[in-house]
Amino acid sequence: MAKKITLVTGGAGLIGSQIIEDLNHNGNTDILVVDHLGTTEKWKNLQRNFFLDYYEKDKFESMLDSGNSILNEISEIYHLGACSATTEKDATYLMQNNFRYTKKLAEFAVSKKIPFLYASSAATYGEGEYGYDDKAPIENLKPLNMYGYSKQLFDLYAKKVGIADRLVGLKYFNVFGYGEAHKGDMRSLVLKGYEQIRDTGKLKLFKSYKPEYKDGEQKRDFLYVKDASKISIYLLSERKYGLYNVGRGVAETWNDLANALFAAMNQPVQIEYVEMPESLKGKYQYFTCAAMEKIGETGYPFGYTNLRDAVGEYISLLLKDLP
């Protein structure tokens, strides 16, 4: 049989499920989904999509090892499956799940000349002491946590063994949107904030501990999941290989996000600034903003959704879920 199947790992996750939804809209339902559902509510993200088959990640890894015949039908790979918890302490698990699994799948793709996209992370930039430039050498970067390091390791590996120019690697910045409810503490502040405002009428934000930033004025490059998906599909389908930032190139404050949330929920703005846990203080990023020239140079044509519009659409989707 001719190659024709799209593989999406992490296909029940936030970005993966959106990519599958968009592929469906483009007429593609010949999709293999790989994920680890466990006891989470991630399965709900699969409900809105159409696909050929589903495999748990361990089962699929054994299929890779054994050379299962269905592998011969794969025509492109979106590898988004990973442990994305920046607070994960089990370094051995992160090495296995984020680094070794990616390495094995990438080597398979390169050997078969299958277009391969994988999720790196903005967490590889650490405190941003070298900026957030995806054209700069990656060797100097110092991630602040083991999650970021597990992503950095594969970026370095791909470069060292000479396959980086045959892969699409994406450093996603603060992605939010429908389909993240399963993520527990790793949910975006958009979803956490929506729940806080719904339940209490107010939103808690961390105080600032740097004099150059007022409370709530710490900045992030917020990206709507629908934009993350469009960018991902464009870069892989157009074979624009390389390591890219995926953000908007706009840094906005937590207060900006709070104002968008209160506006979307038709509630008066009530923000409470709270102490940051001691465990976070040394690992907290006060500013992130993706340099986006590299993606611009690919000819990416679709633009980006502004924060207020994205939050408004997301909240409207959440409200539809209410019983």
Side-chain angles (χ1 to χ4, degrees):
M1 185 184 293
K3 290 184 176 184
K4 63 176 184 59
I5 292 175
T6 299
L7 173 66
V8 183
T9 75
L14 171 61
I15 300 173
S17 60
Q18 184 64 54
I19 284 175
I20 294 172
E21 183 175 317
D22 290 344
L23 291 173
N24 285 172
H25 287 162
N26 295 341
N28 181 0
T29 57
D30 292 323
I31 298 167
L32 287 185
V33 179
V34 175
D35 211 309
H36 175 57
L37 296 180
T39 57
T40 71
E41 297 286 287
K42 264 198 287 192
W43 60 271
K44 291 181 178 178
N45 284 340
L46 296 176
Q47 277 188 309
R48 71 183 201 259
N49 292 329
F50 299 92
F51 49 92
L52 196 61
D53 209 345
Y54 170 86
Y55 295 102
E56 278 286 315
K57 65 174 186 179
D58 292 344
K59 169 67 175 172
F60 186 75
E61 185 175 18
S62 68
M63 290 164 62
L64 269 179
D65 292 337
S66 65
N68 189 289
S69 61
I70 200 166
L71 301 175
N72 297 325
E73 300 174 40
I74 294 172
S75 60
E76 60 182 2
I77 298 173
Y78 293 88
H79 177 47
L80 303 162
C83 171
S84 60
T86 57
T87 53
E88 177 58 57
K89 296 288 194 292
D90 188 341
T92 300
Y93 170 69
L94 286 167
M95 279 291 198
Q96 162 67 22
N97 202 55
N98 291 5
F99 175 56
R100 200 179 72 79
Y101 203 113
T102 304
K103 197 169 106 173
K104 181 180 287 191
L105 198 51
E107 287 169 346
F108 162 75
V110 169
S111 71
K112 302 289 187 183
K113 297 183 171 58
I114 300 169
F116 181 85
L117 177 148
Y118 73 95
S120 179
S121 173
T124 59
Y125 287 114
E127 282 189 305
E129 60 267 50
Y130 297 102
Y132 298 92
D133 184 0
D134 51 4
K135 294 182 177 181
I138 59 176
E139 287 79 7
N140 294 331
L141 301 181
K142 297 283 190 292
L144 292 172
N145 50 53
M146 182 57 207
Y147 162 73
Y149 181 56
S150 70
K151 293 294 192 176
Q152 166 79 342
L153 265 180
F154 181 76
D155 294 343
L156 290 168
Y157 172 81
K159 186 174 181 179
K160 183 179 180 181
V161 301
I163 61 172
D165 60 353
R166 285 177 274 175
L167 313 173
V168 177
L170 301 185
K171 297 194 177 196
Y172 294 107
F173 282 64
N174 304 273
V175 179
F176 68 92
Y178 191 76
E180 60 171 314
H182 65 278
K183 293 178 71 172
D185 274 351
M186 299 312 300
R187 290 170 301 158
S188 73
L189 189 73
V190 187
L191 181 53
K192 290 179 178 177
Y194 161 76
E195 292 167 351
Q196 285 182 35
I197 296 166
R198 179 194 65 198
D199 297 341
T200 69
K202 65 183 179 182
L203 176 64
K204 293 180 178 180
L205 296 176
F206 287 139
K207 291 179 179 177
S208 170
Y209 299 89
K210 291 188 176 181
E212 61 268 38
Y213 292 90
K214 294 178 181 176
D215 290 341
E217 296 296 307
Q218 306 96 320
K219 291 187 171 183
R220 292 286 183 276
D221 190 337
F222 300 106
L223 180 69
Y224 195 30
V225 68
K226 290 189 176 182
D227 293 335
S229 174
K230 280 181 189 171
I231 293 167
S232 304
I233 292 171
Y234 169 78
L235 292 174
L236 191 62
S237 63
E238 297 294 323
R239 311 294 191 253
K240 303 290 188 181
Y241 298 121
L243 185 57
Y244 298 89
N245 286 338
V246 183
R248 283 188 303 135
V250 179
E252 293 174 277
T253 69
W254 292 115
N255 289 334
D256 292 331
L257 177 58
N259 289 327
L261 268 170
F262 283 107
M265 296 177 72
N266 295 312
Q267 298 255 30
V269 177
Q270 274 195 280
I271 301 171
E272 179 185 348
Y273 299 104
V274 299
E275 300 291 336
M276 187 184 297
E278 286 296 326
S279 59
L280 270 184
K281 283 184 182 177
K283 300 178 179 179
Y284 187 81
Q285 293 175 309
Y286 276 73
F287 176 89
T288 65
C289 187
M292 292 297 291
E293 291 81 6
K294 196 170 177 181
I295 278 185
E297 289 165 3
T298 69
Y300 176 68
F302 300 116
Y304 305 90
T305 313
N306 72 55
L307 184 61
R308 193 161 279 242
D309 288 347
V311 169
E313 181 174 285
Y314 183 16
I315 297 304
S316 71
L317 292 170
L318 291 173
L319 290 171
K320 284 180 184 174
D321 278 350
L322 289 176

